[in-house]
């Protein structure tokens, strides 16, 4: 079965007095690959705008928006209609023998390709993140999938999800200390912890389809906004998704938009404006994902 969906991502900035704007960059278009296809998409602004598409260093689709004129409000609306195939649930990932236990053994070619995703990005001044990571492999607890699942489950079950309006992502150490955070914070903590165990990980920004929004029974944490999770490279299985916010690794819920070494590379909408600093009044973001229907699964 595949899901046909409409996605609308509306960002509104408000100012006390008219201001002018520099270039903005929107990262919203799903990178579907074998997981689906885009049927149509659009980017609109409430000001005259020239839009061009570029592909960044990690092959993410970026809309560069050049805005004209001045205003007290800037609204940028991104819309997508897509088909999401999802990933079937499987009992066990088909790992190569060299990936069954930690430390995973990457080949020289894999090391070259994955080096940017293997190196920790943040400092760990008190060693708390490293110590937290290592306790998951203490003793003979070195089965790779078991470590990944236990770390994901620990974040989901012992930490408190705390949505916040402030932009940015907490440091892994801060999330560990507070035992709370957003989906971005959870993903970033797990990435930096796993990198310290020698696993290649990348940050994923995207959307979360929640069936409860269409009258379904299950409610997802973090729906109604952009979502974040991580992918781990496991020889034999490739890049596999882990969402510590919802404890999911497959299915129809995760719609990938962009990948990155760190969260700052895939901010959904970024840009500049020119005026007095006290003129800025705030930002509102609304994300709507609506299922239009389903198609029967193709049987070979």
């Amino acid at each position: 079965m595949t899901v046909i969906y409409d996605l609308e991502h509306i960002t509104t900035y408000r100012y006390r007095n008219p201001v002018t704007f520099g270039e903005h960059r929107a990262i919203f278009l799903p990178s579907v690959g074998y997981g689906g296809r885009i049927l149509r998409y659009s980017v609109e602004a409430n000001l005259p705008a020239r839009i061009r598409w570029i592909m960044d260093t990690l092959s993410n689709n970026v809309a560069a928006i050049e805005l004209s004129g001045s205003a007290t409000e800037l609204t940028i609306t991104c819309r997508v209609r897509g088909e999401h195939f999802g990933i079937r649930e499987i009992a066990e990932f088909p790992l190569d023998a060299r990936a069954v236990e930690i430390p995973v053994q990457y080949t020289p070619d894999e090391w070259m390709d994955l080096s940017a995703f293997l190196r920790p990005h943040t400092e760990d001044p008190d060693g708390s993140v490293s110590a937290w990571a290592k306790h998951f492999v203490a003793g003979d607890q070195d089965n790779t999938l078991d470590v990944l699942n236990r770390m994901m489950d620990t974040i989901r079950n012992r930490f408190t999800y705390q949505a916040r309006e402030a932009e940015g992502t907490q440091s892994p150490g801060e999330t560990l200390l507070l035992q709370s955070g957003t989906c971005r914070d959870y993903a970033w903590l797990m990435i930096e912890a796993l990198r310290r165990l020698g696993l290649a990980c990348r940050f994923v920004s995207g959307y979360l389809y929640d069936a409860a929004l269409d009258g379904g029974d299950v409610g997802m944490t973090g729906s109604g906004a952009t979502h974040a999770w991580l992918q781990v490279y496991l020889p034999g299985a490739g890049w596999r998704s882990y969402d510590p916010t919802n404890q999911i690794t497959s299915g129809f819920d995760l719609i990938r938009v962009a990948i990155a070494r760190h969260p700052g590379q895939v901010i959904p909408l970024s840009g500049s404006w020119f005026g007095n600093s006290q003129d800025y009044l705030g930002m509102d973001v609304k994300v709507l994902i609506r299922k239009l229907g389903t198609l029967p699964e193709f049987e070979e």
Side-chain angles (χ1 to χ4, degrees):
M1 182 183 72
T2 64
V3 174
I4 307 297
Y5 65 89
D6 267 352
L7 185 152
E8 189 174 54
H9 185 166
I10 305 171
T11 306
T12 302
Y13 299 94
R14 294 184 175 86
Y15 305 87
R16 182 173 287 105
N17 296 300
V19 300
T20 57
F21 303 92
E23 182 180 85
H24 281 57
R25 293 195 167 199
I27 304 177
F28 76 95
L29 189 62
S31 175
V32 289
Y34 62 84
R37 59 177 178 154
I38 302 301
L39 303 177
R40 63 172 180 256
Y41 61 90
S42 65
V43 185
E44 299 174 357
N46 65 323
L47 294 176
R50 177 177 177 268
I51 299 169
R52 59 189 173 87
W53 287 91
I54 60 176
M55 186 174 288
D56 68 12
T57 56
L58 293 170
S59 298
N60 299 314
N61 297 311
V62 182
I65 308 168
E66 298 176 9
L67 298 156
S68 301
S70 61
T72 57
E73 184 175 290
L74 171 64
T75 298
I76 295 178
T77 302
C78 304
R79 295 185 177 92
V80 177
R81 175 166 292 179
E83 182 177 2
H84 187 41
F85 300 153
I87 301 175
R88 290 182 179 180
E89 186 71 44
I90 54 178
E92 186 173 338
F93 298 154
L95 300 184
D96 287 350
R98 57 193 172 91
V100 171
E101 295 182 349
I102 290 176
V104 168
Q105 304 300 313
Y106 294 116
T107 66
D109 275 349
E110 287 171 339
W111 272 102
M112 289 290 291
D113 295 338
L114 298 171
S115 59
F117 302 105
L118 280 161
R119 292 192 299 269
H121 182 79
T122 57
E123 298 293 333
D124 185 21
D126 61 359
S128 60
V129 177
S130 294
W132 185 74
K134 289 176 181 176
H135 99 268
F136 288 99
V137 295
D140 60 355
Q141 302 179 100
D142 56 0
N143 179 274
T144 302
L145 297 184
D146 179 57
V147 169
L148 290 168
N149 287 324
R150 284 191 292 110
M151 187 178 291
M152 179 177 67
D153 294 347
T154 296
I155 295 173
R156 166 65 172 164
N157 296 328
R158 298 185 184 180
F159 288 36
T160 302
Y161 184 85
Q162 186 66 54
R164 64 176 183 275
E165 294 183 358
E167 297 180 27
T169 305
Q170 293 174 171
S171 71
E174 186 177 5
T175 301
L176 194 58
L177 177 65
L178 297 173
Q179 300 277 285
S180 69
T182 67
C183 58
R184 297 174 71 87
D185 304 325
Y186 286 1
W188 191 220
L189 168 61
M190 190 166 171
I191 287 170
E192 288 291 88
L194 290 175
R195 284 174 176 172
R196 285 168 169 82
L197 296 179
L199 288 165
C201 300
R202 62 191 188 185
F203 185 88
V204 186
S205 176
Y207 299 102
L208 180 68
Y209 171 72
D210 187 350
L213 300 176
D214 294 319
D217 295 330
V218 179
M220 291 289 184
T221 302
S223 62
T226 54
H227 193 52
W229 60 98
L230 65 138
Q231 290 182 330
V232 185
Y233 188 82
L234 302 172
W239 288 107
R240 303 300 311 201
S241 294
Y242 281 81
D243 177 11
T245 304
N246 292 291
Q247 286 178 301
I248 54 178
T249 60
S250 61
F252 292 90
D253 306 302
L254 301 175
I255 302 174
R256 190 185 87 180
V257 168
I259 59 170
R261 289 181 293 106
H262 61 84
Q265 292 180 299
V266 285
I267 298 172
L269 182 63
S270 59
S272 59
W273 59 277
F274 304 96
N276 295 320
S277 58
Q278 61 268 26
D279 286 337
Y280 181 65
L281 298 178
M283 173 184 72
D284 296 318
V285 179
K286 180 188 295 184
V287 176
L288 301 173
I289 301 180
R290 183 168 58 96
K291 182 175 71 175
L292 300 180
T294 59
L295 296 175
E297 186 173 1
F298 174 75
E299 295 291 344
E300 294 185 359

